[in-house]
Amino acid sequence: MAGYKPVAIQVYPVLGEKITQDTLYWNNYKPPYNYAVTASSRIHIYGRYSQEPIKTFSRFKDTAYCATFRQDGRLLVAGSEDGGIQLFDISGRAPLRQFEGHTKAVHTVDFTADKYHVVSGADDYTVKLWDIPNSKEILTFKEHSDYVRCGCASKLNPDLFVTGSYDHTVKMFDARTNQSVISVEHGQPVESVLLFPSGGLLVSAGGRYVKVWDMLKGGQLLVSLKNHHKTVTCLCLSSSGQRLLSGSLDRKVKVYSTSSYKVVHSFDYAASILSLALAHEDEAIVVGMTNGILSVKHRKSEPKKDSLARRRRPAYRTFIKGKNYMKQQDDILINRPSKKHLELYDRDLKNFRISKALDRVLEPSCAIKTPEITVSIIKELNRRGVLANALAGRDEKEISHVLNFLIRNLPQPRFAPVLINAAEIIIDIYLPVIGQSPVVDKKFLLLQGLVEKEIDYQRELLETLGMMDMLFATMTRKESTSLLQHNTSDGFLENKKVES
């Protein structure tokens, strides 16, 4: 036992990038909390760090498609697939108001600036304005010729609101004129629209394009951005208004500077992105994906600096030789060897407590902040041949910790070779008992999907490497053939055969 060597924590390098102030700012987000969500007739509200919803509204007849808070955070309005719109008070569960008028799915709802009206757009091509106190429809606009899939209300003028449609147009309506006052052609089915707080600039997203329009000049196009490889589905603005974020089906979130409209940062995610939002003061970035995962990244709090620096006490030799003592030529300096203490997981491994060692590195303080330690312990257990024993015999809570870690880190290429093996072992062990816990079943299915997708990526990568090897071999053969050819005295080319 005295010769035990601590586990070597492998360093997983990350590809370098140009370090800017934006890089430092946007990289200051902690690893995400992942929530498993599905399209349903419920709306869940999560706390800042809670893994389970703190509030659920379930008074919908069909799937809820959209929901928006009022500026004061006290009311919530939501639209559903059956065309119904319901207004909730956060302190209660039953709806305060119900608005019936749309005949098809409602995809966008928002509060106006005066907080007493709601704007909605639906697949029946209509845009409606509702009065909250009376629960009545005030106006109906029928200017779109296709599904109305996005919209937003002005934060300054209670009579202005914008909608985007699959008819490729973005329209600004004025409740005082009963018609649209500005209409612009985006050129692609519009998936998301965004008004700047001042109301002077409008951003539309659809296809691969993000376009910025000057509304004070009647909808003049300022800039057209094409930085995504697939359809842009959502837009978001930072709290300062200096950064614009866009999410796409290419699994990336791009951050633009609103002064130059250049990409200053980019986030990568495990699946295509459907929705995107920033919390107050950019405290968290929330992304919803097609694989049923809701990713929440919190920004790290800046450490507090001590106002007074600690005074360093004089060393022991100062009291013996004096403060101004200078080392002499004949003096011999003897350093006392420092004793190295084993980490807690190393102590458990030393005493063959393999399950406890794995539990220690799966705690959030280790698994979220330093996932490389957890991956190194899993690799060490697999090398010893006891990984299956450490993963077996776990209850619902313990297996949830393991599944959360795998779902969070399996898509990362630097961890994938180790975690795919661990995921396959878990699937083999717990597949016969699936169906006893809804929470574990949902995460288990997500893990299976991630493993299958990662294996497909590896297969495609091997095929690509094989094609590249063939191309390189062909190029090498041509170069060697050209070197063996030379001109004869008669002016004809002669190929010399080289015997092996």
Side-chain angles (χ1 to χ4, degrees):
M1 293 297 179
Y4 175 81
K5 293 183 179 180
V7 177
I9 304 302
Q10 186 174 352
V11 179
Y12 295 89
V14 182
L15 294 179
E17 59 181 341
K18 186 178 180 181
I19 304 300
T20 62
Q21 292 297 326
D22 282 282
T23 305
L24 297 176
Y25 179 84
W26 295 104
N27 279 342
N28 201 28
Y29 284 84
K30 300 177 183 178
Y33 289 88
N34 290 327
Y35 304 88
V37 295
T38 56
S40 64
S41 59
R42 296 181 176 87
I43 292 179
H44 301 292
I45 300 178
Y46 294 89
R48 186 174 181 181
Y49 296 106
S50 61
Q51 290 286 347
E52 300 296 332
I54 60 176
K55 194 80 173 181
T56 299
F57 300 102
S58 57
R59 301 299 181 92
F60 294 93
K61 299 177 182 178
D62 215 327
T63 303
Y65 275 164
C66 55
T68 305
F69 279 103
R70 199 168 70 174
Q71 289 88 334
D72 54 12
R74 296 176 58 186
L75 295 181
L76 173 75
V77 63
S80 61
E81 188 178 4
D82 61 354
I85 302 173
Q86 298 190 22
L87 184 72
F88 295 92
D89 189 341
I90 296 301
S91 59
R93 293 187 180 274
L96 295 177
R97 299 284 188 274
Q98 294 187 1
F99 308 104
E100 300 291 342
H102 287 292
T103 57
K104 292 186 178 180
V106 178
H107 282 272
T108 175
V109 288
D110 197 7
F111 289 94
T112 58
D114 58 8
K115 304 178 183 178
Y116 296 109
H117 299 86
V118 171
V119 181
S120 63
D123 285 351
D124 57 5
Y125 309 168
T126 63
V127 179
K128 294 180 181 292
L129 182 66
W130 309 86
D131 183 56
I132 294 178
N134 298 324
S135 302
K136 292 183 178 180
E137 176 186 327
I138 300 177
L139 293 172
T140 299
F141 302 92
K142 300 181 179 179
E143 298 188 22
H144 284 295
S145 58
D146 208 332
Y147 298 154
V148 181
R149 286 299 175 95
C150 54
C152 63
S154 171
K155 304 303 179 185
L156 298 178
N157 192 328
D159 297 315
L160 295 179
F161 46 91
V162 178
T163 57
S165 170
Y166 276 9
D167 62 6
H168 301 188
T169 63
V170 179
K171 296 181 181 292
M172 174 175 280
F173 295 94
D174 191 338
R176 296 165 294 188
T177 62
N178 298 336
Q179 63 181 1
S180 63
V181 291
I182 297 177
S183 180
V184 297
E185 181 73 22
H186 180 81
Q188 299 285 338
V190 183
E191 301 285 350
S192 181
V193 292
L194 175 68
L195 265 177
F196 274 64
S198 62
L201 295 178
L202 170 69
V203 186
S204 62
R208 294 173 56 191
Y209 294 91
V210 175
K211 297 185 178 183
V212 183
W213 312 85
D214 190 346
M215 306 308 288
L216 300 180
K217 294 185 179 180
Q220 178 181 346
L221 179 63
L222 290 182
V223 63
S224 179
L225 307 173
K226 191 179 179 181
N227 298 98
H228 288 282
H229 302 294
K230 293 184 179 181
T231 301
V232 184
T233 56
C234 47
L235 297 169
C236 183
L237 198 65
S238 66
S239 57
S240 63
Q242 298 180 357
R243 296 293 181 265
L244 173 68
L245 285 76
S246 64
S248 167
L249 296 180
D250 61 5
R251 304 184 299 169
K252 293 184 181 296
V253 172
K254 303 283 186 180
V255 183
Y256 305 88
S257 170
T258 53
S259 57
S260 62
Y261 294 105
K262 294 183 178 179
V263 177
V264 295
H265 193 70
S266 179
F267 293 98
D268 293 330
Y269 284 87
S272 299
I273 298 170
L274 295 179
S275 57
L276 167 69
L278 278 173
H280 179 65
E281 297 297 333
D282 300 343
E283 290 183 355
I285 178 171
V286 185
V287 170
M289 294 174 280
T290 54
N291 61 355
I293 292 290
L294 181 67
S295 171
V296 183
K297 292 183 178 180
H298 296 279
R299 187 152 52 89
K300 299 177 182 178
S301 58
E302 298 180 358
K304 296 181 180 179
K305 297 182 179 179
D306 297 335
S307 57
L308 298 176
R310 292 185 179 181
R311 184 177 178 181
R312 185 178 179 182
R313 295 182 179 181
Y316 176 73
R317 64 175 180 270
T318 304
F319 297 99
I320 302 300
K321 296 292 185 179
K323 185 177 181 180
N324 299 324
Y325 176 77
M326 299 296 293
K327 179 185 175 183
Q328 302 298 323
Q329 186 176 1
D330 297 333
D331 289 347
I332 299 175
L333 182 62
I334 300 176
N335 291 324
R336 180 179 299 174
S338 58
K339 185 178 180 181
K340 295 183 178 180
H341 298 279
L342 291 177
E343 299 289 344
L344 295 178
Y345 53 80
D346 275 320
R347 296 181 188 177
D348 293 329
L349 290 177
K350 182 179 178 180
N351 294 285
F352 303 102
R353 296 191 294 262
I354 55 176
S355 296
K356 194 168 184 180
L358 185 59
D359 291 337
R360 288 190 188 278
V361 295
L362 286 173
E363 293 178 358
S365 58
C366 179
I368 295 178
K369 295 181 179 179
T370 54
E372 60 273 5
I373 295 180
T374 308
V375 175
S376 297
I377 296 300
I378 294 176
K379 186 177 181 180
E380 175 66 16
L381 294 176
N382 188 40
R383 186 188 68 83
R384 296 185 180 189
V386 294
L387 181 58
N389 296 336
L391 292 172
R394 294 177 173 269
D395 57 16
E396 180 181 353
K397 184 177 180 181
E398 292 174 345
I399 196 61
S400 294
H401 289 317
V402 180
L403 294 175
N404 287 335
F405 178 79
L406 293 176
I407 292 172
R408 186 187 305 118
N409 295 283
L410 188 62
Q412 299 190 34
R414 52 183 183 152
F415 298 148
V418 178
L419 298 186
I420 286 180
N421 183 38
E424 291 176 345
I425 293 175
I426 286 183
I427 293 174
D428 291 339
I429 294 175
Y430 293 98
L431 187 60
V433 296
I434 289 297
Q436 299 181 7
S437 172
V439 177
V440 175
D441 293 349
K442 192 179 298 183
K443 295 178 180 179
F444 195 85
L445 293 175
L446 289 174
L447 179 62
Q448 278 186 314
L450 286 175
V451 172
E452 293 174 358
K453 187 177 294 184
E454 192 64 32
I455 292 175
D456 291 339
Y457 288 156
Q458 296 288 345
R459 186 181 296 110
E460 293 176 3
L461 179 60
L462 290 176
E463 292 175 357
T464 306
L465 290 175
M467 291 186 288
M468 293 175 65
D469 290 340
M470 186 181 299
L471 291 174
F472 291 150
T474 306
M475 293 173 60
T476 305
R477 190 178 300 111
K478 288 182 178 179
E479 290 177 357
S480 61
T481 304
S482 63
L483 289 175
L484 292 175
Q485 291 178 348
H486 67 283
N487 290 326
T488 64
S489 58
D490 296 332
F492 295 97
L493 288 176
E494 179 184 3
N495 293 335
K496 280 193 174 183
K497 297 181 180 180
V498 180
E499 296 181 358
S500 58

